[in-house]
Amino acid sequence: MRKIATALTRSRVWRSVFRHGFPDSNRNRSLAIFSSFFLHFHPVKVRVRAIAFTRTFYLGGLALACFFILTVTGTFLMFYYHPIVPSAYNDMKDLQFVVSYGMFLRNLHRWTSRTMIALVFVHMAWTFMRGAYRHPREFNWTIGVGLLVITVLLSYTGTLLPWDQLSYWAVAVGTNIVGAIPIIGAKVKLLLLGGHEINDNALLRFYVLHCVVLPLTLAFGVGLHLWRVRKDGGIHLPELPPRRDDVGDENYASTRADAGSPESSDAPHENA
Amino acid sequence: MSEPTPESAPERGEEESLGSVGAARVVVEEHVSDCRTSDFVDEPMLMTFPHLLVRECVAFLGLSIFLVVMSLCFDAPLESIADPTRTPNPAKAPWYFLGMQELLQYYPPIVAGVLFPALLIIALAIIPYFRVNIERPPLWKSAPWTQVASLWGVVAGLSGVFYFTGSVPIWSLMVPLWAVGLAMTAGALPWRRSRLGIWLQTRSLAFWIFAWFLLAATTLTVIGLWFRGPGWRFTLPWYDGFY
Amino acid sequence: MALIDDLDVPMTEAELERRRFLGLLGSGALGLAGIGTMVAGVGYLEPNAPYEQATRFVVGRPEAIVPGGVLTLREQRVYVVRGQAGVYALSSVCTHLGCVTRHGLGQSEIVCPCHGSAFDMEGRVLSGPARKRLPRLELTLERGEIVVHTTSQVDDDTLLEV
C-alpha cells in the first residue's frame, strides 16, 4: 500500500498536478499550502494563538462554508425552477412533493442562508469587539461591511423567488422603500422591477440578480477580503508583552521592506 | 510513468518548477511577513498543514451536521401563492429586516427605510478611519461627575428625540440607550476598583455606541418577530403564535 | 534580465508634452466608454413596454351601489364609495409602503395590515405611520357606466354626481 502511494506521488502525473511530494515532511507540508491555488490564502505556518477556536470561532470561515453550500444547493434547485408566474410557485410545490430530496434541498438552502446572515453579522460584531478593524485592517473592515450588505441583498432577492404571499409582500414593501429615495428612487424601482408592478419581469430580474450578479460579486469580494487578511498581516492578535531587546522590531521592519518592495514596484508595470 | 531515479529526480523537479532558490526562501519570507509583532521568534507556531486544515474540516463538518439536522427537522415555510390583491395580516418581512419594519412604523419611509440604513452602513464602513476605539485611561479619571452629567445629558437628549419625533414614543430604542448609559455610569461607582469596574471603565465610546446598536437591533427584531400581531398591534407570542 | 526602465529614458520637453496629451486622450476615451456603457446599460434595463394591467376600466352603473355603500375592487385595488352627494373612488394602496388596505363590510375604517395605518372613508389618515391620505381617482360617466382612471388623481372633494 505504502509502495503504491510512494510510486503514485512520485509519478510525473502527480508531480505535474501537485508540484510536491507526499506531505510527510515540513518542507512538503509547506509546499502543500504554498503551491496550492485553493490553500495559498493560508500562511504555511500559523501562530497557535491565531487558530484557537475561541479566538475567532471560525465565524468568517464558516460563513464562507455557508456560501459554498448555498452555491451547490442553489445550483441544484435551479434545475427544477422556472422564473415565471405561476410556475415558480408550482415548482416549489413540486420540490416539496414530487422531486426526490427536493424538500431537503430547499430546506438546506433556506436554513443555510439564514445561518449565513447570522454568521456574517456575528463575525462583524466579534471583529469589532476584538478591535480587529483598526489599523492596518481598516480597508478590509470596509470590504467586510460591503460583503454583509451583499449577503443581505442575496437573501432578500431570494425571498421573491418562491412567489408565495410572504415573497410578494416583502418585495412590495422593500421596493416601495427604494422608491422613497429622493430623486433616483422612482427610477431605481422601475429598473429593479422592470415595470410598475411586481410581475414576471420583476421575478426574472430578481432571479438574475440572485443567481448571477450578486453571487459573482460576493465571490469576488470574498476573494479580496481573504487576500487582504494576508496582506494586512494575518488575523488580528493582541500584542504580547514586548521582549526586552528591540531587535524584533527592526527585524520586522526590514523583512517587511524586503517583502514589500518587489510587489509595490512590480505591480504598476504589470498593470500598465 | 515514474521517474527513472526516484531518489534524486523529484528534488530537482521541485526546484525547477518553483525557481531554484525560490521555494524555501519565498516560503520563509511569506511566513516572516505574516508575523507583524516583535515576538515572532518566541511565539509557538504550528504547520498549517495539517493543523489548521484539520480544524477547518472539523468546523465545516460541525456546521454541515447542524444544517442537515435543521433541514431534516424543520421545513422551510411556503405560504399560499402570491396574491397582489390581498395583503396578509400581519405582513412580516424576513427576520433580518424586522428591525427596520419596526422603525417604519414610527418614521416615514424616507427616514426609517432610507436614511437610517444608509447612515448605519456608512457609519460602519468608516468606523476604522476614526481613532475612536483605542483602549484608553478610564473615562471617569478626571472630574467624574461632570462627565456623568454630560453623559446623561446626551442620553436625555436622544431619549427626547426618540420620544417626540416618532409617531409614538419609541421605547425599544430608549430602553437599550438607558441600559448602556447605566453600564457606563457603573464604571464610576464605588466598585470601580473591581475587575468588572475596570473592564467597564476601559471600554471606549465607540464600544458603547456599538453596544447600543446591537441591543437596539436585537430588541427591535425580537419585538417584530414575536410581539406583533394582526394590524401590527402589540401582542404576546403565546396569543398569536410565532411567525 | 535587463529592465527597460521607461522612467529613465531621456526625453525632450516636446516629447513629454506629447506623452501627457496622449495620456489625457486615453483616459478621456476610457471614461467616455465607461459612461457610454452605463447609459446604454440603464437604457437597456429600462422596460419600454411592460405588459401590465389597464389603467382605465369600467365599474358598472352607479345605481348598483347603495347610498353609503362601498364597492371594493380587489383586482384593480380601488374602493368606489357612494356618499350622500355622489360617487368617488379611492386607491386602496396604502400611501405608506404600498400594501393593499382592507375594508370590512359595514365598517367606517380602512386599515393597512402591514404597518397599522388607518384611514376613514374619505381617505383621511386616522392613525399610523402613513402621512398622506388615500388618493382620490378620476371617475367619468360613459354611457351610464362609471369608468375609473387609476393613473389620474383628482382633488379630494371631487364627486361624480349621479
Side-chain angles (χ1 to χ4, degrees):
Chain A
M1 203 63 193
R2 200 169 170 78
K3 248 181 172 169
I4 299 172
T6 316
L8 186 71
T9 54
R10 282 179 180 169
S11 73
R12 274 180 61 190
V13 174
W14 177 279
R15 279 310 163 99
S16 73
V17 177
F18 289 108
R19 303 279 186 221
H20 60 80
F22 196 76
D24 49 4
S25 68
N26 278 349
R27 181 164 192 272
N28 277 336
R29 285 165 160 196
S30 301
L31 288 169
I33 298 294
F34 183 71
S35 64
S36 159
F37 173 77
F38 299 101
L39 298 176
H40 80 276
F41 63 87
H42 281 315
V44 294
K45 288 181 199 166
V46 283
R47 281 164 287 181
V48 174
R49 287 194 300 153
I51 62 170
F53 182 67
T54 49
R55 173 72 50 194
T56 60
F57 297 104
Y58 292 20
L59 290 164
L62 289 176
L64 178 60
C66 282
F67 182 46
F68 176 71
I69 297 174
L70 284 166
T71 312
V72 174
T73 52
T75 310
F76 273 110
L77 292 174
M78 282 170 76
F79 281 112
Y80 277 102
Y81 178 81
H82 306 79
I84 316 163
V85 183
S87 313
Y89 183 77
N90 298 339
D91 290 339
M92 288 300 120
K93 286 287 179 199
D94 270 7
L95 282 170
Q96 212 163 349
F97 298 113
V98 183
V99 180
S100 309
Y101 309 114
M103 192 66 203
F104 173 73
L105 271 176
R106 185 165 117 75
N107 290 346
L108 195 58
H109 197 72
R110 167 66 67 99
W111 301 133
T112 310
S113 82
R114 297 299 189 262
T115 310
M116 181 170 169
I117 293 181
L119 281 171
V120 171
F121 193 79
V122 179
H123 177 46
M124 183 186 76
W126 189 243
T127 305
F128 185 89
M129 292 303 177
R130 298 304 296 242
Y133 61 89
R134 288 178 213 146
H135 182 78
R137 299 181 182 78
E138 303 101 324
F139 186 60
N140 213 14
W141 164 271
T142 309
I143 296 171
V145 173
L147 294 180
L148 171 73
V149 173
I150 296 174
T151 308
V152 170
L153 286 179
L154 261 169
S155 178
Y156 183 69
T157 49
T159 305
L160 182 65
L161 303 188
W163 201 253
D164 66 347
Q165 278 285 70
L166 194 74
S167 324
Y168 185 91
W169 291 103
V171 170
V173 171
T175 49
N176 273 312
I177 291 174
V178 172
I181 302 173
I183 305 166
I184 57 165
K187 184 90 168 188
V188 175
K189 186 183 165 189
L190 181 71
L191 290 180
L192 206 56
L193 291 182
H196 303 93
E197 50 190 50
I198 302 174
N199 55 21
D200 278 5
N201 293 344
L203 183 58
L204 186 59
R205 286 187 180 210
F206 274 59
Y207 177 72
V208 173
L209 286 175
H210 185 75
C211 300
V212 182
V213 180
L214 290 170
L216 283 180
T217 317
L218 190 69
F220 177 77
V222 168
L224 194 60
H225 197 58
L226 288 171
W227 183 75
R228 285 299 298 228
V229 170
R230 287 297 305 284
K231 291 292 162 184
D232 294 342
I235 72 159
H236 167 77
L237 291 171
E239 282 185 35
L240 291 174
R243 294 192 307 147
R244 265 165 298 169
D245 50 340
D246 284 325
V247 179
D249 250 328
E250 285 170 36
N251 216 351
Y252 156 66
S254 64
T255 49
R256 202 55 193 169
D258 285 351
S261 58
E263 284 164 13
S264 49
S265 61
D266 279 354
H269 291 294
E270 279 167 20
N271 288 342
Chain B
M1 275 303 199
S2 58
E3 299 279 332
T5 50
E7 288 309 308
S8 60
E11 291 296 316
R12 209 177 58 227
E14 268 161 17
E15 289 181 351
E16 273 166 12
S17 64
L18 285 161
S20 52
V21 204
R25 214 197 63 207
V26 175
V27 168
V28 169
E29 275 181 6
E30 184 88 350
H31 147 62
V32 167
S33 71
D34 275 330
C35 300
R36 305 189 46 82
T37 47
S38 56
D39 44 69
F40 72 93
V41 186
D42 294 329
E43 190 161 358
M45 306 199 56
L46 285 170
M47 294 301 294
T48 301
F49 188 104
H51 297 284
L52 177 55
L53 294 187
V54 164
R55 282 168 168 81
E56 283 172 348
C57 286
V58 171
F60 181 64
L61 282 177
L63 176 78
S64 308
I65 291 169
F66 166 74
L67 290 172
V68 166
V69 169
M70 279 281 288
S71 307
L72 289 174
C73 295
F74 304 100
D75 280 349
L78 184 68
E79 294 182 9
S80 53
I81 191 164
D83 180 359
T85 63
R86 198 176 57 81
T87 308
N89 191 0
K92 291 199 179 185
W95 66 265
Y96 44 87
F97 278 142
L98 277 179
M100 200 163 92
Q101 197 178 9
E102 259 304 289
L103 284 179
L104 277 170
Q105 209 205 347
Y106 304 117
Y107 291 114
I110 177 80
V111 177
V114 180
L115 203 62
F116 276 9
L119 282 180
L120 179 70
I121 291 167
I122 292 170
L124 281 175
I126 62 174
I127 280 178
Y129 295 97
F130 294 93
R131 295 172 60 79
V132 285
N133 197 27
I134 310 301
E135 298 286 326
R136 48 171 188 67
L139 187 58
W140 317 117
K141 204 174 169 189
S142 57
W145 298 114
T146 333
Q147 299 214 18
V148 171
S150 50
L151 165 71
W152 284 98
V154 171
V155 168
L158 276 176
S159 301
V161 168
F162 296 136
Y163 192 94
F164 290 111
T165 58
S167 55
V168 285
I170 311 169
W171 300 108
S172 42
L173 292 181
M174 283 189 269
V175 173
L177 184 66
W178 299 338
V180 168
L182 284 176
M184 288 176 80
T185 314
L189 295 178
W191 60 74
R192 60 169 175 260
R193 309 267 147 161
S194 69
R195 262 183 87 171
L196 179 67
I198 289 169
W199 187 85
L200 286 174
Q201 284 166 18
T202 49
R203 296 307 95 190
S204 62
L205 189 61
F207 172 89
W208 291 116
I209 295 174
F210 196 75
W212 174 56
F213 158 66
L214 284 184
L215 266 180
T218 313
T219 314
L220 287 172
T221 308
V222 166
I223 291 177
L225 205 55
W226 291 319
F227 296 93
R228 290 294 177 188
W232 212 251
R233 277 187 298 274
F234 189 83
T235 181
L236 294 169
W238 45 92
Y239 271 170
D240 285 292
F242 298 88
Y243 289 95
Chain C
M1 284 199 290
L3 172 71
I4 302 169
D5 190 352
D6 63 296
L7 295 172
D8 219 23
V9 177
M11 225 182 279
T12 65
E13 193 54 38
E15 281 172 325
L16 263 177
E17 188 65 23
R18 185 177 61 193
R19 177 169 283 204
R20 267 187 230 118
F21 172 72
L22 287 174
L24 209 65
L25 204 68
S27 332
L30 211 61
L32 217 63
I35 293 171
T37 311
M38 255 173 61
V39 170
V42 171
Y44 172 78
L45 288 175
E46 200 172 342
N48 290 328
Y51 300 95
E52 292 173 348
Q53 225 177 21
T55 57
R56 177 184 167 283
F57 56 91
V58 181
V59 176
R61 307 190 72 80
E63 299 86 51
I65 313 170
V66 291
V70 180
L71 183 67
T72 306
L73 300 167
R74 281 182 34 185
E75 198 79 351
Q76 290 83 5
R77 309 187 185 194
V78 171
Y79 299 115
V80 182
V81 187
R82 182 162 177 195
Q84 298 308 319
V87 181
Y88 57 91
L90 291 175
S91 160
S92 71
V93 179
C94 181
T95 52
H96 180 226
L97 282 175
C99 292
V100 178
T101 55
R102 289 171 178 200
H103 173 253
L105 200 65
Q107 283 176 347
S108 60
E109 219 181 61
I110 296 169
V111 184
C112 175
C114 283
H115 307 93
S117 303
F119 307 86
D120 70 4
M121 292 319 295
E122 297 271 326
R124 283 184 294 251
V125 180
L126 292 176
S127 68
R131 311 252 159 148
K132 281 186 289 186
R133 50 189 293 165
L134 295 176
R136 203 170 275 215
L137 305 174
E138 189 187 345
L139 291 183
T140 50
L141 213 55
E142 289 174 22
R143 275 174 285 172
E145 291 188 312
I146 302 175
V147 176
V148 185
H149 305 261
T150 51
T151 46
S152 162
Q153 295 182 10
V154 292
D155 291 339
D156 295 320
D157 50 1
T158 315
L159 285 175
L160 181 73
E161 283 167 31
V162 288

